[in-house]
Amino acid sequence: MSKQLDSTRLQHMLEAAERISRRMAGLSLTDFLADEDAHDVAMRRFMVIGEAANHISNATKQLFPQIDWLGARSLRNFVAHEYFRVELADIWDSVINDVPPLLLELPGVISQVQASEQAQRAGSV
């Protein structure tokens, strides 16, 4: 199996953040706490974000310190392995505080990484 490009993993992160944003639009904390489907969407998509972040190269992570790479990985690991201790209010906090910065930052990061990957491919031909 070939290694996924950083730009592909970053795109996965963006798509997951967009899905969270769309599904949570218009919800309050009270609405979220009462909506099991919303819990599932948020937790599953945070797992995708964290797993993708875990596979981003160290070089890319260093170039874009504004992305909370460790936080994304940590949330993924907690949801996946400590699911019985997950507090839904904490998931909501991540929806409100962590997703908007990703939605702002990732498109530009993806563009820069894609340009770098294209330049590397052109240089290796």
Side-chain angles (χ1 to χ4, degrees), residues 3-16:
K3 183 181 183 305
Q4 295 281 322
L5 295 172
D6 281 355
S7 61
T8 301
R9 299 284 187 167
L10 290 162
Q11 187 63 42
H12 294 164
M13 292 175 67
L14 179 59
E15 289 167 2

Side-chain angles (χ1 to χ4, degrees), residues 28-65:
S28 67
L29 171 59
T30 303
D31 297 332
F32 176 75
L33 294 175
D35 188 336
E36 290 181 3
D37 291 334
H39 310 161
D40 291 346
V41 168
M43 288 190 283
R44 167 73 174 113
R45 298 305 171 158
F46 279 128
M47 288 176 58
V48 169
I49 291 168
E51 187 65 18
N54 190 45
H55 292 282
I56 301 292
S57 70
N58 287 332
T60 295
K61 289 177 186 175
Q62 290 174 358
L63 285 174
F64 302 100

Side-chain angles (χ1 to χ4, degrees), residues 41-107:
V41 168
M43 288 190 283
R44 167 73 174 113
R45 298 305 171 158
F46 279 128
M47 288 176 58
V48 169
I49 291 168
E51 187 65 18
N54 190 45
H55 292 282
I56 301 292
S57 70
N58 287 332
T60 295
K61 289 177 186 175
Q62 290 174 358
L63 285 174
F64 302 100
Q66 69 271 32
I67 305 291
D68 185 5
W69 306 107
L70 178 59
R73 253 188 15 242
S74 297
L75 180 57
R76 179 256 179 235
N77 290 339
F78 188 74
V79 169
H81 300 292
E82 301 291 330
Y83 57 88
F84 52 90
R85 292 182 33 213
V86 169
E87 295 288 335
L88 293 173
D90 293 337
I91 298 298
W92 181 252
D93 184 66
S94 289
V95 166
I96 297 302
N97 295 308
D98 298 335
V99 172
L102 285 176
L103 293 172
L104 288 174
E105 294 290 338
L106 284 173

